[in-house]
Amino acid sequence: MISLKSWFLLAILYVFLCTASSATLGSDAIESVLRRLDNKRAPSIVQESAAKGVLQRLLPAHLHSFEFKIVSKDLCGGRSCFRITNYKSLSRNAHEILIQGTTAVEITSGLHWYLKYRCGAHISWDKTGGVQLASVPKPGSLPLVEVEGVMIQRPVPWNYYQNVVTSSYSYVWWDWQRWEKEIDWMALQGINLPLAFTGQEAIWQKVFLDFNITTQDLNDFFGGPAFLAWARMGNLHAWGGPLSQNWLNIQLALQKQILSRMKELGMTPVLPSFSGNVPAALKKIFPSANITRLGDWNTVSGDLRWCCTFLLGPSDPLFTEIGEAFIRKQIEEYGDITDIYNCDTFNENTPPTDDPTYISSLGSAVYKAMSKANNNAVWLMQGWLFSSESKFWKPPQMEALLHSVPRGKMIVLDLFADVKPIWKSSSQFYGTPYIWCMLHNFGGNIEMYGVLDVVASGPIDARTSENSTMVGVGMCMEGIEHNPVVYELMSEMAFRGDNFQVQGWLKSYSHRRYGKVNDQIEAAWEILYHTIYNCTDGIAFHNTDYIVKFPDWDPSGKTGTDISRTDISNQNGMQKLAGFQWNRRFLFSDKSSSLPKPHLWYSTEDVIKALKLFLDAGKELSGSLTYRYDLVDLTRQSLSKLANQVYLDAISAFRHKDAKALSLHSQKFLHLIKDIDILLAADDNFLLGTWLESAKNLAMNSDEMKQYEWNARTQITMWYDNTKYNQSKLHDYANKFWSGLLGAYYLPRASMFFNLLSKSLEEKVDFNLLEWRKEWIAYSNKWQEGTELYPVKAQGDALASATALFEKYFS
């Protein structure tokens, strides 16, 4: 007979073994997934040709300098890898460098690695300066690698890319030409698990027509082009719509091009699946179905024209039927190209009860809808809900959802691991495989910001932690084309298995980015590393400078505290002030007289020193597009922080009833807007006109052109609905420092506000908040409906402009 003590010890041992083996079981399941996905890849000859295509578009003169070869994982120790060796041949015109890889993505990653670390080249988005390839030697003179070659293995299988809202903030107006460049960039960065959400509305149209939903019904369901992400998530419906058949057809054709290229390169696209979001008409067609109306999401007054969408309960048999039909329709249209599907049923949509049994049944039903159409389906879920709704998703609820599907059939994106990692507080997601992600950006705002030390160490710490279930790294920014240093470093983490010094990496980065060594630039980047790119306070939202996110408040300060010059430098960043509450997307609800403070996590004086060093390097680097972009961005950053303090000085003068000082400071604020607008106009990458023209270029007729332009203008300004006296709760969420937008939108708004402040002092009356709101909301609505043209080409000299502004404001 076994004693009670022995039973107790055996129980402890069992729990220990189960815990210790969970990571192993998860690893085995992921290996099975990887083997199945390998079988779906394009043939080796197709992948090699696709990799050659990337090379030809990047360095056409060097097309014959490289030989590419697909190899098995056996050559790489059972992992994905690339291997760079010198090409051995006696022929004079032979290839110089051989790059082998387990997929075309590994090959292009190897190409990028070679160009960076052997040739000193640099590749970033066109809108952040583009490529610097001047340092690449001519064909026939490429530098050799070590005799034994260079082999780099992936420490984790996947490098994930995109957020579900990136499709609206950044990709919405892209054509194939732009998508081809992005897929090339992805391939060079080693991204092998990209989200592929384009064109899904056309699939939904086909599916819902089979359920007797009419095209007219769908006009009330789909959002407009710039708001599709939130219509897909069930946050809103019809806002900015309807979608024309032209849009649906063109986007579906575009998606097929995107997926075809991804497959050729050996990527595994992540396709959408059914989350339960359904048209209102479905409730009439299936009156007994478990369809509930969700609550309001950020409307001003609960306007049912676009709020309070309908959710089909996952436990309803119709859920499985629709979910299966959607995935089958995608397979029919695209072929059998993936087993991984994204679904975020619970993203900012809280379940009706926190009962773990109920939550488990919901998760099981969601997965059932996928697996009925594809029995190898893997559910990829954004882990955002565990951050945004942390009060609800406690350990029992998290574990119930994560364990509601078979082991290895769910992968979680630890979406905000760069600031708020969930893996640490959830026992590695309770044994569920996860991807360590950097969120970094909200709303596609333009703000220099980063946590480089965390990016360089976080994925390694997570992967090497005890019982780690980490299976990838990822970039989940809401908008792209900014802060190229952050994205280059994060991309490299897909191939770095050991700790390294960021300072040394940054020195190499600056050499590559500008094509040469420059002492001033090195010193400037040393400062930027310790200031702008070293945010450690854990504050989530950074892009709230007063110029682009103008406060809607009563500045009299009757219920708020006085404003001092130190307020803007508060190292604790943005605080929860009286009357201001965080909402799920880190926005303030502007309903009180307390003032939201822009987040500042560094010494502005130090950054101004870095700016001076950048200017000093101008004589040597002025011809570099990458230098020009960084110079304009750093000057803009410095001036926008100065403008924050000038705004506070104006408010302080108003409170002290000092009309002369108010006039002085308000005029300085307005002049700063004008000057920044002129500065931004000197670089092609900071222009409003580019955004608007890309929207109009997708239109097939005048009606579409008008609609698309309204979508483009509205997303970056008011964003969502408003009333005569109430601005949208999401106003300025997608703010942009773009020339044209500053002069035509932000400047008139600030001018109206300061004029009313001066008027109230002159007439000795209280500030009229309603009058202010009425005036600027009316102006905003008019501007959103406008069709005036804005430049799409740079005007002026960026270096001269930045130098003059430094002398004017900082000398």
Side-chain angles (χ1 to χ4, degrees):
M1 178 176 287
I2 301 176
S3 68
L4 183 63
K5 181 178 180 180
S6 297
W7 274 114
F8 180 70
L9 291 173
L10 284 172
I12 291 176
L13 178 62
Y14 175 77
V15 171
F16 171 77
L17 290 173
C18 287
T19 303
S21 63
S22 64
T24 303
L25 289 170
S27 176
D28 291 343
I30 291 299
E31 284 299 321
S32 297
V33 172
L34 291 170
R35 284 194 295 271
R36 288 194 299 271
L37 291 173
D38 284 343
N39 292 330
K40 294 179 185 289
R41 298 198 198 284
S44 295
I45 191 171
V46 173
Q47 293 191 58
E48 290 164 359
S49 177
K52 279 284 186 180
V54 174
L55 172 61
Q56 185 169 26
R57 289 184 289 276
L58 182 68
L59 283 166
H62 291 73
L63 184 59
H64 300 293
S65 299
F66 295 88
E67 173 71 356
F68 295 156
K69 187 70 177 175
I70 295 290
V71 295
S72 73
K73 288 183 179 179
D74 294 338
L75 198 69
C76 302
R79 296 186 188 178
S80 296
C81 83
F82 60 79
R83 186 166 180 259
I84 309 169
T85 56
N86 302 316
Y87 193 86
K88 297 179 175 64
S89 175
L90 298 177
S91 172
R92 175 179 294 181
N93 298 318
H95 306 295
E96 299 173 73
I97 300 296
L98 170 66
I99 303 179
Q100 299 167 302
T102 47
T103 67
V105 170
E106 314 308 320
I107 290 174
T108 51
S109 300
L111 172 65
H112 190 197
W113 196 275
Y114 175 82
L115 293 175
K116 282 200 292 187
Y117 293 114
R118 285 296 187 274
C119 303
H122 172 74
I123 297 166
S124 72
W125 291 298
D126 284 353
K127 284 183 72 66
T128 55
V131 298
Q132 189 291 112
L133 300 173
S135 59
V136 179
K138 293 180 179 179
S141 304
L142 291 179
L144 300 178
V145 297
E146 297 88 340
V147 174
E148 66 274 16
V150 176
M151 188 175 82
I152 304 291
Q153 293 176 314
R154 287 187 188 265
V156 284
W158 284 308
N159 187 2
Y160 175 81
Y161 183 53
Q162 296 180 40
N163 187 301
V164 293
V165 302
T166 319
S167 57
S168 290
Y169 284 132
S170 294
Y171 307 154
V172 53
W173 311 122
W174 286 6
D175 55 15
W176 170 242
Q177 182 180 21
R178 179 62 187 87
W179 262 112
E180 184 174 54
K181 285 187 175 183
E182 187 70 8
I183 297 172
D184 283 355
W185 179 88
M186 290 160 55
L188 291 162
Q189 305 298 330
I191 292 161
N192 59 5
L193 191 66
L195 200 64
F197 265 28
T198 302
Q200 63 177 280
E201 283 68 31
I203 302 292
W204 278 120
Q205 182 188 52
K206 295 173 186 287
V207 170
F208 281 131
L209 286 175
D210 289 341
F211 286 86
N212 297 318
I213 301 293
T214 68
T215 301
Q216 188 62 38
D217 294 329
L218 293 176
N219 286 343
D220 185 56
F221 180 60
F222 297 140
F227 303 96
L228 286 178
W230 300 276
R232 292 166 180 169
M233 290 188 287
N235 302 130
L236 53 80
H237 66 100
W239 179 252
L243 295 179
S244 69
Q245 195 61 46
N246 286 333
W247 173 272
L248 297 172
N249 295 342
I250 290 171
Q251 291 297 300
L252 180 60
L254 180 60
Q255 171 76 333
K256 290 179 178 180
Q257 287 180 289
I258 292 168
L259 293 175
S260 176
R261 181 61 54 82
M262 287 178 175
K263 181 176 180 179
E264 290 169 3
L265 286 164
M267 298 176 182
T268 298
V270 178
L271 291 177
S273 61
F274 182 46
S275 65
N277 184 31
V278 295
L282 196 73
K283 193 171 180 65
K284 297 178 182 178
I285 298 171
F286 298 93
S288 61
N290 178 21
I291 298 175
T292 57
R293 189 153 204 172
L294 298 175
D296 182 30
W297 185 84
N298 285 312
T299 61
V300 171
S301 56
D303 196 322
L304 295 179
R305 287 178 295 171
W306 33 77
C307 97
C308 313
T309 57
F310 291 90
L311 185 71
L312 174 62
S315 58
D316 193 294
L318 188 59
F319 186 102
T320 303
E321 192 176 343
I322 293 175
E324 180 185 0
F326 180 66
I327 289 181
R328 288 194 185 280
K329 187 65 69 174
Q330 287 187 116
I331 294 173
E332 179 184 322
E333 291 283 344
Y334 309 141
D336 184 15
I337 59 172
T338 190
D339 289 335
I340 304 184
Y341 301 93
N342 169 261
C343 184
D344 295 306
T345 295
F346 311 109
N347 189 52
E348 300 189 5
N349 292 322
T350 307
T353 174
D354 63 0
D355 178 12
T357 302
Y358 176 79
I359 291 172
S360 181
S361 67
L362 291 183
S364 179
V366 169
Y367 179 71
K368 181 181 178 182
M370 298 180 194
S371 60
K372 281 204 71 175
N374 180 346
N375 59 7
N376 293 321
V378 176
W379 178 1
L380 181 82
M381 182 183 72
Q382 290 192 140
W384 177 247
L385 70 169
F386 301 135
S387 292
S388 64
E389 299 290 343
S390 57
K391 290 183 179 179
F392 178 89
W393 293 101
K394 298 291 175 55
Q397 289 74 32
M398 284 183 64
E399 191 168 6
L401 178 58
L402 296 172
H403 289 175
S404 64
V405 302
R407 187 175 298 277
K409 296 296 188 178
M410 176 182 279
I411 302 171
V412 182
L413 301 177
D414 197 354
L415 206 72
F416 207 10
D418 52 327
V419 173
K420 188 179 179 182
I422 302 299
W423 69 268
K424 290 184 177 181
S425 59
S426 65
S427 300
Q428 304 270 351
F429 289 94
Y430 304 103
T432 302
Y434 75 96
I435 294 175
W436 193 103
C437 296
M438 176 190 76
L439 207 167
H440 184 260
N441 173 271
F442 293 93
N445 307 139
I446 297 172
E447 172 84 352
M448 295 180 73
Y449 155 79
V451 286
L452 293 185
D453 283 340
V454 174
V455 168
S457 62
I460 295 173
D461 293 343
R463 180 178 56 81
T464 58
S465 63
E466 187 177 5
N467 297 324
S468 176
T469 57
M470 177 180 159
V471 294
V473 296
M475 296 183 289
C476 298
M477 62 286 119
E478 290 194 350
I480 64 168
E481 299 178 318
H482 50 75
N483 291 286
V485 63
V486 176
Y487 292 91
E488 178 156 336
L489 179 59
M490 187 64 235
S491 295
E492 272 199 25
M493 297 313 296
F495 298 98
R496 287 195 175 268
D498 300 313
N499 290 312
F500 62 100
Q501 290 296 318
V502 176
Q503 282 180 287
W505 183 90
L506 266 178
K507 184 177 290 189
S508 171
Y509 170 85
S510 69
H511 297 173
R512 299 194 308 271
R513 182 154 171 80
Y514 311 118
K516 60 182 67 176
V517 176
N518 181 281
D519 292 341
Q520 291 101 329
I521 287 292
E522 278 192 17
W525 270 104
E526 179 75 14
I527 294 173
L528 296 178
Y529 167 56
H530 291 292
T531 53
I532 285 175
Y533 290 112
N534 188 35
C535 182
T536 59
D537 58 19
I539 301 300
F541 199 66
H542 318 282
N543 319 98
T544 52
D545 290 328
Y546 291 136
I547 287 177
V548 293
K549 189 164 175 56
F550 205 70
D552 171 62
W553 72 311
D554 183 346
S556 64
K558 292 178 180 179
T559 61
T561 57
D562 196 17
I563 299 173
S564 69
R565 292 191 64 84
T566 60
D567 283 345
I568 200 68
S569 301
N570 183 354
Q571 292 304 305
N572 290 325
M574 189 180 292
Q575 303 295 319
K576 182 186 285 186
L577 304 177
F580 284 82
Q581 301 294 324
W582 287 110
N583 80 359
R584 291 170 175 168
R585 305 205 70 78
F586 301 110
L587 291 171
F588 279 113
S589 176
D590 303 354
K591 299 298 183 185
S592 85
S593 60
S594 297
L595 177 66
K597 302 174 187 177
H599 179 213
L600 188 64
W601 63 97
Y602 60 85
S603 163
T604 53
E605 290 81 5
D606 288 344
V607 170
I608 290 169
K609 292 176 184 176
L611 175 57
K612 181 63 168 64
L613 289 166
F614 252 86
L615 290 168
D616 291 343
K619 289 183 180 179
E620 185 177 0
L621 299 178
S622 59
S624 165
L625 295 178
T626 46
Y627 166 79
R628 186 178 73 182
Y629 173 87
D630 289 346
L631 174 64
V632 169
D633 203 21
L634 183 56
T635 307
R636 173 211 57 76
Q637 179 93 358
S638 301
L639 292 173
S640 67
K641 304 311 172 190
L642 173 63
N644 290 339
Q645 186 56 60
V646 173
Y647 176 88
L648 294 179
D649 290 339
I651 298 303
S652 180
F654 172 76
R655 289 184 175 179
H656 289 94
K657 303 188 186 308
D658 187 338
K660 184 176 180 181
L662 171 61
S663 176
L664 176 70
H665 296 308
S666 61
Q667 286 303 310
K668 185 175 182 180
F669 187 86
L670 298 176
H671 278 298
L672 275 163
I673 298 178
K674 294 176 185 177
D675 285 341
I676 296 174
D677 189 79
I678 293 171
L679 169 73
L680 298 176
D683 190 280
D684 289 330
N685 305 304
F686 296 92
L687 303 179
L688 168 64
T690 306
W691 170 255
L692 298 182
E693 292 306 310
S694 63
K696 291 188 286 185
N697 287 341
L698 287 187
M700 301 296 288
N701 53 55
S702 59
D703 289 340
E704 289 179 358
M705 184 176 293
K706 183 177 180 180
Q707 180 195 14
Y708 296 175
E709 183 167 8
W710 183 91
N711 269 254
R713 285 169 174 255
T714 300
Q715 189 208 85
I716 60 176
T717 54
M718 192 61 77
W719 205 105
Y720 206 13
D721 74 323
N722 58 265
T723 63
K724 187 176 183 179
Y725 293 107
N726 288 284
Q727 76 293 336
S728 166
K729 291 181 180 180
L730 298 177
H731 72 87
D732 296 328
Y733 181 80
N735 66 71
K736 302 290 188 293
F737 271 99
W738 283 342
S739 179
L741 190 59
L742 268 76
Y745 188 81
Y746 299 136
L747 179 64
R749 179 173 63 180
S751 182
M752 293 173 200
F753 179 77
F754 288 128
N755 285 341
L756 284 176
L757 291 186
S758 297
K759 179 182 176 182
S760 65
L761 289 186
E762 289 174 12
E763 299 177 358
K764 297 181 180 180
V765 296
D766 290 341
F767 176 78
N768 191 325
L769 181 61
L770 288 182
E771 182 183 350
W772 145 245
R773 286 178 174 172
K774 178 183 177 182
E775 189 173 350
W776 90 259
I777 291 172
Y779 181 84
S780 180
N781 290 341
K782 181 180 178 181
W783 189 86
Q784 290 162 235
E785 295 281 357
T787 57
E788 58 273 17
L789 300 177
Y790 295 91
V792 294
K793 293 294 182 183
Q795 301 170 343
D797 184 318
L799 178 58
S801 179
T803 302
L805 291 176
F806 185 91
E807 292 297 321
K808 180 177 181 179
Y809 290 106
F810 299 125
S811 64

